[in-house]
């Protein structure tokens, strides 16, 4: 498995501001993903963080609102820009790699970042 | 777009009872993963099933992948309060080694002592 940490674990922010969430993995991984989750509900994929190139965004999510960086194989950031109360959610990063499990069969999640926008 | 219908959405039972959670789709998945999530934490991978008809057991939990790889079930025997949490199924489409997961809506399980 992989040990994944996220910073911050939670934050309360004012509308109109931006927050950058960090995801750190204890080993090099092939794929990193960013999800959003309302408490008690399912996960929605925001984007795939690609190392050395622009992230691949899912329908309904755009780079201007959720810029993503992935400078190396162990680290990624997600920024929630110009926040509104509707952005209040749990943001999770996940990783997948043949070094930690069969490709496509083992995706591990970080502990999440709980964001409240006032 | 592939969809996974997970049911029931809520389940409240007494300790010692059995339960089954279902995930169904009209699409074929190359693999299906089951996760359990507790409040304040990220989802924890319980098991991955990849072969049609496959059955995997994890202590009191039994996971089954449908023959056609379109559906899956999670059965818990003699549930305990420690089983309480959000259970999520997630399927991966075929065609690529790595790929995004399609998640079911989740089942919130509460086991009362």
């Amino acid at each position: 498995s992989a040990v994944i940490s996220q910073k911050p674990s939670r934050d309360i922010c004012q509308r109109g501001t931006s927050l950058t969430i960090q995801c750190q993995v204890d080993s090099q991984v092939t794929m990193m993903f960013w999800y959003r989750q309302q408490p008690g509900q399912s996960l929605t994929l925001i984007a795939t963080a690609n190392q050395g190139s622009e992230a691949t965004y899912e329908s309904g999510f755009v780079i201007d609102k959720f810029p993503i960086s992935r400078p190396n194989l162990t680290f990624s950031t997600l920024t929630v820009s110009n926040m509104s109360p509707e952005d209040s959610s749990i943001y999770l990063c996940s990783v997948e790699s043949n070094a930690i499990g069969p490709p496509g069969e083992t995706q591990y999640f970080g502990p999440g970042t709980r964001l409240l926008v006032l | 777009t592939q969809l996974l219908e997970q049911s029931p959405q809520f389940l409240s039972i007494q300790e010692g009872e059995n339960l089954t959670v279902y995930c169904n789709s009209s699409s074929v998945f190359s693999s299906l993963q089951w996760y359990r999530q507790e409040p304040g934490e990220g989802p924890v991978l319980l098991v991955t099933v990849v072969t049609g008809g496959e059955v995997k057991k994890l202590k009191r939990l039994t996971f089954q992948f449908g023959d056609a790889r379109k559906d899956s079930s999670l059965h818990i025997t003699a549930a305990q309060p420690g089983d309480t949490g959000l259970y999520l199924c997630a399927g991966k489409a075929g065609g690529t080694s790595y790929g995004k997961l399609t998640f079911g809506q989740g089942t919130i399980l509460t086991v009362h002592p």
Side-chain angles (χ1 to χ4, degrees):
Chain A
S1 65
V3 177
I4 306 165
S5 60
Q6 286 186 233
K7 290 182 181 178
S9 59
R10 60 179 65 241
D11 208 343
I12 301 173
C13 301
Q14 297 296 320
R15 69 172 66 211
T17 63
S18 298
L19 175 72
T20 295
I21 302 168
Q22 299 179 5
C23 179
Q24 179 75 55
V25 193
D26 68 342
S27 60
Q28 293 185 342
V29 293
T30 307
M31 305 292 286
M32 296 183 78
F33 305 93
W34 286 98
Y35 288 84
R36 186 168 70 182
Q37 180 186 30
Q38 295 294 326
Q41 296 187 22
S42 191
L43 281 69
T44 301
L45 181 65
I46 298 171
T48 301
N50 301 309
Q51 195 264 329
S53 64
E54 193 171 285
T56 304
Y57 290 84
E58 296 300 307
S59 176
F61 298 96
V62 295
I63 187 171
D64 290 344
K65 176 66 177 177
F66 297 101
I68 288 171
S69 78
R70 190 176 172 197
N72 56 53
L73 295 177
T74 64
F75 185 79
S76 178
T77 67
L78 168 73
T79 299
V80 186
S81 303
N82 188 25
M83 287 184 285
S84 66
E86 291 70 36
D87 295 320
S88 298
S89 192
I90 302 167
Y91 292 86
L92 296 143
C93 71
S94 71
V95 304
E96 195 171 297
S97 174
N98 59 3
I100 57 177
E105 296 182 17
T106 47
Q107 193 167 127
Y108 293 96
F109 284 82
T113 295
R114 280 138 193 85
L115 172 62
L116 175 63
V117 183
L118 302 176
Chain B
T1 303
Q2 294 185 304
L3 295 175
L4 260 178
E5 297 290 331
Q6 187 173 344
S7 62
Q9 188 177 356
F10 300 96
L11 205 48
S12 180
I13 62 173
Q14 293 296 127
E15 182 176 2
E17 294 183 4
N18 302 331
L19 66 112
T20 303
V21 179
Y22 299 94
C23 269
N24 297 291
S25 176
S26 58
S27 304
V28 175
F29 292 98
S30 62
S31 67
L32 198 137
Q33 303 176 25
W34 284 91
Y35 293 85
R36 176 170 168 264
Q37 184 179 21
E38 296 189 49
E41 299 180 9
V44 175
L45 180 64
L46 296 174
V47 79
T48 301
V49 285
V50 296
T51 305
E54 182 177 7
V55 177
K56 283 191 174 179
K57 292 193 175 185
L58 187 65
K59 296 183 180 178
R60 293 176 293 100
L61 279 61
T62 301
F63 305 85
Q64 187 163 5
F65 203 13
D67 291 340
R69 290 184 287 129
K70 294 182 179 180
D71 56 270
S72 181
S73 64
L74 157 62
H75 182 78
I76 301 179
T77 303
Q80 299 177 0
D83 296 327
T84 294
L86 172 66
Y87 288 82
L88 295 157
C89 63
K92 196 191 83 65
T96 57
S97 295
Y98 300 101
K100 66 177 183 179
L101 295 176
T102 297
F103 277 84
Q105 299 94 326
T107 296
I108 297 177
L109 170 65
T110 304
V111 183
H112 302 279

